Amino acid sequence: MSGAPRLILASQSPARAKLLTEAGLRFDVIVSAVDEDAVAAAAGDPTPAETALLLARAKAEAVAALPEARDAYVLGCDSVFEFDGEAHGKPYEPEVAIERISRMSGREGVLHTGHWLITPATAESPAPGNAPDDGGQAPSSSIAAGAGATQSGLGRLSSATVRFAEIDPAEIRAYVATGEPLHCAGSFTIDGIGGAFIESVTGDPHAVVGLSVSTLRALLSEQGTGITEFWV
């Protein structure tokens, strides 16, 4: 790989792209065609945290295998909200969102965001299994990258506890009617209309948005690259 390194965000989330932009990073977006439900089903019965990391990895690996991602760092992310021991992804249907938000009113849950970073085959990277496996971090692995090359991947989880205010039923219906919560993990956002209903966040607030820039920095560092190399 010659010249400045490339970073690809394997996500169609505008919120994640906005976070990277506001952090002053240079990146491209390539959306994966991963069937999230099929990936989660094939894993058996993963915990909400495991699901977030599993889907982040699937997205990153799918995009990294594309010719247009050659010689690029590929970041996959996925968020899952854990509430009452259940994994809450995107509700899609208004009735589902209303039911979930009604239960969340005045209570708290944990938003897990999984990050998986694929390093270019030509970049130096730690040997599989040499990275420490703690703090929600997954061990590195190798995946096929075409033409006999391999790429290494490293994952890490970033989680934050979200405390919700007491929300009036009329407010819940009005919020769901905006359409915002239907395509958000957990049926809420912190950086949009839903922020009015969040009392506090314990942990990295960027994890609640869907991408922790500090976690990305840590993953890049563990793979031998500084985040400053991606500054605009």
Side-chain angles (χ1 to χ4, degrees):
M1 180 174 61
S2 60
R6 291 177 61 212
L7 174 64
I8 292 174
L9 174 62
S11 171
Q12 63 182 348
S13 165
R16 292 186 179 117
K18 182 180 179 182
L19 277 174
L20 292 181
T21 298
E22 292 179 342
L25 300 179
R26 181 187 65 256
F27 67 98
D28 298 314
V29 173
I30 298 179
V31 180
S32 76
V34 169
D35 184 333
E36 298 183 20
D37 291 337
V39 171
D45 189 26
T47 66
E50 290 169 342
T51 299
L53 197 58
L54 177 72
L55 294 177
R57 177 175 183 172
K59 293 177 182 180
E61 293 185 347
V63 170
L66 300 175
E68 55 266 43
R70 182 177 178 83
D71 293 337
Y73 289 80
V74 180
L75 176 66
C77 296
D78 195 84
S79 299
V80 176
F81 186 60
E82 182 175 0
F83 185 77
D84 282 346
E86 302 173 353
H88 286 186
K90 302 168 185 175
Y92 296 115
E93 299 297 331
E95 296 77 12
V96 176
I98 290 172
E99 188 274 333
R100 289 182 179 178
I101 298 172
S102 297
R103 286 199 292 133
M104 288 153 47
S105 175
R107 302 175 65 194
E108 63 182 32
V110 180
L111 197 292
H112 301 289
T113 292
H115 304 70
W116 196 272
L117 183 69
I118 303 291
T119 304
T122 52
E124 291 185 5
S125 59
N130 286 351
D133 184 18
D134 55 18
Q137 181 174 301
S140 58
S141 67
S142 294
I143 65 169
T150 60
Q151 294 176 317
S152 66
L154 190 65
R156 179 173 290 187
L157 196 70
S158 182
S159 303
T161 299
V162 181
R163 178 76 188 182
F164 298 93
E166 296 282 351
I167 312 174
D168 184 89
E171 290 179 311
I172 294 175
R173 290 192 297 273
Y175 178 44
V176 173
T178 68
E180 181 184 86
L182 301 184
H183 300 279
C184 300
S187 311
F188 70 93
T189 66
I190 189 175
D191 57 334
I193 301 171
F197 308 122
I198 296 176
E199 285 190 341
S200 65
V201 173
T202 303
D204 187 345
H206 283 175
V208 183
V209 180
L211 192 162
S212 166
V213 180
S214 61
T215 297
L216 171 60
R217 173 182 172 272
L219 288 172
L220 286 168
S221 178
E222 298 226 13
Q223 304 245 23
T225 304
I227 197 170
T228 59
E229 295 187 42
F230 298 92
W231 283 353
V232 174

